[in-house]
Amino acid sequence: MESYIKLSTLNDFIYCEKSIFYHKLYDNYNENLFQKKAQIEGKLIHQTIDNKTYSSRKNILQWLEVYSEEYKIMWLIDIFNIETWELIERKTQIFKDENWEEKIYRWQRYQLWWQMFCLEEMWYEVKTLWIYSVKDNKKYRIYKPSKKEILEFREVLEKYRKFDLLQKHWKQNLKKCKQCIYNELCDYYIWEKYTQLQLFNNK
């Protein structure tokens, strides 16, 4: 039986392909030992959803496990209103400029789309998708994926399933490396810091 892919693992994969290895290493550790301020803050804001205490209304489904047999993915949704058919994902804060869409990351769109695919397979109708920015109390509409975007999604899944940790042709993104919660374990990041230190000392 083919195993299901967790959306949290896919999130790491999109951020950095090699981070899925470290994600699995950390599965058995206390998150407080390696998560940074942003992740800890997000966890605290998310507690009402995790504990299913966000709302007592019967039309609000919260922290519901969802699956897709077609895509072999699984995760938990934040909020789904079965009266308005709105799917809502809560985020700590969406930072925006004049063109706010550029601040909605690809992963954040994927996350809602994938949840929608799962719900639809479970015979729920999803009419609208939203990201709710908790700190500034604003909602941002995320439109349903086009055929091209669905194809892109399938390609990401295929790439994930075929990924080889030992592949030779891989380039790191140092800007992402500096922000990555797994960087203290990553041999690529540690080697890069060592190389930079050697260059500095040889000047």
Side-chain angles (χ1 to χ4, degrees):
M1 178 179 170
E2 188 176 358
S3 60
Y4 285 78
I5 300 171
K6 292 182 179 180
L7 292 188
S8 58
T9 312
L10 274 177
N11 178 25
D12 283 345
F13 183 74
I14 291 169
Y15 189 80
C16 169
E17 294 170 357
K18 289 188 180 290
S19 70
I20 58 172
F21 171 72
Y22 302 108
H23 181 110
K24 290 178 181 178
L25 278 181
Y26 272 133
D27 268 352
N28 297 321
Y29 285 84
N30 186 324
E31 292 178 341
N32 293 328
L33 296 177
F34 62 89
Q35 285 191 335
K36 296 185 179 180
K37 182 181 177 181
Q39 285 80 26
I40 294 171
E41 188 177 40
K43 190 78 174 178
L44 290 173
I45 285 174
H46 213 267
Q47 278 184 346
T48 56
I49 300 295
D50 295 354
N51 299 330
K52 298 186 178 182
T53 56
Y54 170 77
S55 174
S56 60
R57 291 161 56 195
K58 291 183 179 180
N59 62 301
I60 300 295
L61 302 182
Q62 49 196 323
W63 211 226
L64 172 73
E65 286 189 350
V66 292
Y67 305 85
S68 168
E69 187 65 28
E70 179 180 356
Y71 295 108
K72 293 292 186 294
I73 55 177
M74 63 174 290
W75 196 231
L76 299 105
I77 62 168
D78 277 3
I79 301 165
F80 183 56
N81 187 323
I82 57 175
E83 286 184 357
T84 61
W85 309 111
E86 293 177 295
L87 177 60
I88 302 169
E89 180 69 24
R90 286 161 58 93
K91 299 297 180 187
T92 305
Q93 187 171 10
I94 299 297
F95 296 97
K96 63 187 181 70
D97 52 22
E98 291 179 1
N99 183 8
W100 67 266
E101 279 196 309
E102 291 186 1
K103 297 299 181 182
I104 303 291
Y105 299 109
R106 179 170 63 142
W107 156 249
Q108 292 171 331
R109 289 190 178 87
Y110 277 1
Q111 195 173 18
L112 275 166
W113 292 344
W114 297 342
Q115 290 171 7
M116 179 189 72
F117 294 147
C118 292
L119 283 167
E120 288 176 341
E121 276 194 41
M122 296 167 70
W123 299 99
Y124 287 104
E125 180 181 6
V126 181
K127 287 187 177 179
T128 54
L129 312 173
W130 301 89
I131 286 180
Y132 174 64
S133 181
V134 175
K135 280 193 171 181
D136 50 4
N137 191 30
K138 291 183 179 179
K139 284 171 69 179
Y140 298 97
R141 177 81 178 268
I142 303 298
Y143 290 94
K144 294 184 179 183
S146 64
K147 289 182 179 180
K148 181 180 178 181
E149 287 165 331
I150 292 174
L151 180 61
E152 181 184 287
F153 159 61
R154 289 181 180 274
E155 288 172 350
V156 169
L157 287 177
E158 189 66 18
K159 191 175 181 182
Y160 174 91
R161 291 189 172 101
K162 291 182 176 179
F163 180 70
D164 179 5
L165 184 67
L166 301 178
Q167 64 177 291
K168 295 179 180 178
H169 304 293
W170 183 80
K171 291 183 179 180
Q172 65 192 133
N173 182 330
L174 289 178
K175 287 184 179 180
K176 287 185 175 182
C177 288
K178 290 177 181 178
Q179 300 298 321
C180 180
I181 63 174
Y182 309 122
N183 61 24
E184 294 303 321
L185 286 182
C186 180
D187 52 344
Y188 286 85
Y189 182 67
I190 293 169
W191 175 252
E192 182 63 28
K193 288 203 299 184
Y194 171 78
T195 303
Q196 289 179 354
L197 181 63
Q198 291 293 99
L199 289 173
F200 177 80
N201 291 334
N202 290 334
K203 285 184 178 180

